[in-house]
Amino acid sequence: MLYDAYEMQRSLLAGASKWAGMSAGWLNNPSNPLSYASTSPLIAASLDVFAHAAATRGKPEFGLASTKVAGRKVAVHEEIVLRKAFGQLKHFAREGVEDGPPLLIVAPMSGHFATLLRGTVERMLPRHDVYITDWRDAKLVPQDEGSFDLDDYVDYLIEFLELIGERTGQRPHMIAVCQPSVPAFAATALMAADKNKWRPRTLTMMGGPIDTREAPTAVNTLATERPLGWFENNVVASVPLYYPGGGRKVYPGFLQLAGFMTMNLGGHLVSHWEMFKHLVAGDEESADATKAFYDEYRSVADMTAEFYLQTVDVVFKRHLLPRGKLTHRGRKVDPTAIRDTALLAIEGERDDISGLGQTKAALGLATKLPAADKQYYMAEKVGHYGIFNGRRWRDKIAPVVDDWIASHR
């Protein structure tokens, strides 16, 4: 019923959004005499803000057609290297460029599409051969494709790393952004224990919940205060039957988005107020920048219920990884097996999702890794999304990652 109610509301708002957008355009049209009335810019701006907020959204495109390598502009095209039921391995091929360390960017499976990391990919493209995990919206995966949980996530990462290694002949580097820091660390430990030829050369973890007992945030507190059954009964829903994954149990993306919006509601309201003022003043460029951010931010995907519930239980409630009790398909994940994968932990000073110390904890778990292969970086005045996107990411954080990878080739 929850998902059906959302779909009904979405359909109604989609029509209202179209009407509001058309009305705003009509009021802004110079050939319309009413556009010169004193109140018309205010009304048009209000309609425009509503139209954008209520619009339906699908999966965005990366849209990275080119990059600059050593000062030279080169074309970039996307290719799917491997397709699997719940995600695919995407490669950003730089035409005419053969060198550059292979880099797997692991996008979070947390309500948003991999395109949320567009800025991350764009910044790393000039110096690296970039791949990304392009997770699939669970509501589009038929039930006969089976299930997907945290163990499957680790399996996917190992398979992706092995494929990249075979393609390039080099041990890949890996960046895990937020939630995938835990499965990426687990995959690294398992591959190290197996002496897997293609274990990652470096692993960079950014704002990840390695040990959520450190500086717990509102997200962590919610997970610990409520029993697992509460999450299963209140936030898990069945996909409507008119989708390919009809009947599948999922944690809907729209609920994840609602949670994130609520956590920083004041900031989002201010952003929309500023967008309204820009529209009234005719500053379309500034308004479009805000719209572009929310076009991406509001594009959401569902995740399987089994992955969501297992993550809540293992990572946020029982803290199995930092307690040395995490297993993968019955096999213990041993961080001490990591001996030649250099670890970089990055945290944002103002991160309200992964608190300070949660990612850094990974460095303490790898006790057999030499100190020279461990590094911690705390980005000042940076919130969660600023760790991997925006000016501070490009100018302050990415150079640290560049240097780390370059020094471990």
Side-chain angles (χ1 to χ4, degrees):
M1 291 298 294
L2 175 67
Y3 215 127
D4 291 325
Y6 165 75
E7 288 291 308
M8 181 176 296
Q9 178 196 40
R10 186 174 68 88
S11 297
L12 292 172
L13 285 176
S17 173
K18 289 289 185 182
W19 173 84
M22 292 172 58
S23 299
W26 178 70
L27 280 173
N28 282 325
N29 193 323
S31 63
N32 175 17
L34 292 178
S35 67
Y36 299 98
S38 60
T39 58
S40 289
L42 294 173
I43 298 173
S46 300
L47 289 169
D48 199 347
V49 170
F50 172 79
H52 184 263
T56 57
R57 292 169 174 85
K59 182 179 179 180
E61 299 290 334
F62 276 98
L64 301 175
S66 65
T67 189
K68 280 192 175 182
V69 179
R72 177 173 61 92
K73 183 177 180 179
V74 299
V76 174
H77 68 271
E78 299 174 18
E79 58 181 3
I80 306 303
V81 177
L82 177 64
R83 295 181 188 272
K84 295 180 70 66
F86 290 90
Q88 57 194 13
L89 179 60
K90 179 169 288 189
H91 179 220
F92 296 88
R94 302 170 298 171
E95 293 186 6
V97 180
E98 300 296 334
D99 61 348
L103 172 63
L104 173 62
I105 298 177
V106 186
M109 183 182 283
S110 56
H112 289 101
F113 293 98
T115 48
L116 188 69
L117 306 188
R118 182 185 294 105
T120 317
V121 174
E122 184 177 28
R123 175 57 179 77
M124 301 307 290
L125 266 176
R127 297 176 61 176
H128 305 86
D129 185 17
V130 179
Y131 297 76
I132 196 168
T133 58
D134 190 14
W135 302 115
R136 196 174 178 190
D137 190 339
K139 70 172 174 283
L140 303 180
V141 184
Q143 289 203 71
D144 58 14
E145 293 282 4
S147 61
F148 184 90
D149 61 12
L150 190 56
D151 289 331
D152 294 305
Y153 198 121
V154 173
D155 290 337
Y156 271 45
L157 294 188
I158 293 174
E159 186 174 359
F160 289 164
L161 288 165
E162 290 176 337
L163 180 56
I164 294 171
E166 293 292 344
R167 281 172 57 92
T168 64
Q170 302 179 56
R171 287 173 60 188
H173 300 262
M174 181 160 56
I175 296 177
V177 179
C178 189
Q179 163 264 320
S181 293
V182 172
F185 187 86
T188 300
L190 291 166
M191 295 177 79
D194 292 338
K195 295 181 172 53
N196 191 305
K197 182 179 180 180
W198 304 121
R199 61 194 181 277
R201 185 66 192 88
T202 68
L203 169 60
T204 298
M205 295 159 285
M206 307 172 67
I210 297 294
D211 188 349
T212 59
R213 295 172 299 180
E214 300 287 338
T217 64
V219 174
N220 311 143
T221 301
L222 175 64
T224 55
E225 286 183 345
R226 300 181 184 277
L228 191 63
W230 182 90
F231 294 93
E232 188 170 6
N233 294 329
N234 289 276
V235 301
V236 169
S238 296
V239 175
L241 295 178
Y242 45 81
Y243 284 110
R248 180 182 292 282
K249 294 289 187 179
V250 298
Y251 176 31
F254 63 82
L255 283 182
Q256 177 96 342
L257 176 63
F260 281 141
M261 294 286 282
T262 302
M263 284 177 58
N264 190 24
L265 184 59
H268 293 299
L269 291 174
V270 169
S271 293
H272 283 80
W273 172 245
E274 292 297 323
M275 180 169 67
F276 169 77
K277 291 194 293 183
H278 290 317
L279 289 168
V280 172
D283 185 359
E284 296 289 341
E285 184 176 351
S286 297
D288 287 344
T290 304
K291 288 181 179 180
F293 170 80
Y294 281 103
D295 281 340
E296 188 70 57
Y297 192 72
R298 292 200 187 107
S299 298
V300 293
D302 299 345
M303 69 179 85
T304 63
E306 57 271 17
F307 170 78
Y308 170 69
L309 293 173
Q310 188 181 7
T311 299
V312 170
D313 180 41
V314 168
V315 177
F316 294 97
K317 295 184 76 65
R318 292 195 286 156
H319 317 288
L320 295 189
L321 176 58
R323 292 172 58 213
K325 296 185 177 182
L326 181 65
T327 60
H328 173 261
R329 304 201 182 282
R331 176 187 176 190
K332 182 180 178 181
V333 175
D334 183 10
T336 66
I338 302 175
R339 303 192 179 199
D340 63 356
T341 295
L343 301 179
L344 171 61
I346 297 176
E347 297 180 332
E349 182 182 19
R350 298 177 179 175
D351 193 333
D352 57 355
I353 295 178
S354 292
L356 286 175
Q358 294 187 9
T359 311
K360 185 180 181 181
L363 304 182
L365 297 176
T367 57
K368 297 298 178 66
L369 185 67
D373 286 335
K374 301 178 186 180
Q375 183 173 333
Y376 172 68
Y377 179 77
M378 193 271 286
E380 297 179 352
K381 302 179 181 179
V382 172
H384 187 72
Y385 292 96
I387 296 174
F388 57 87
N389 226 331
R391 180 177 56 83
R392 287 192 175 92
W393 150 249
R394 293 189 300 270
D395 298 342
K396 300 292 185 180
I397 303 171
V400 175
V401 182
D402 283 340
D403 292 344
W404 188 246
I405 292 174
S407 62
H408 292 87
R409 294 185 61 181

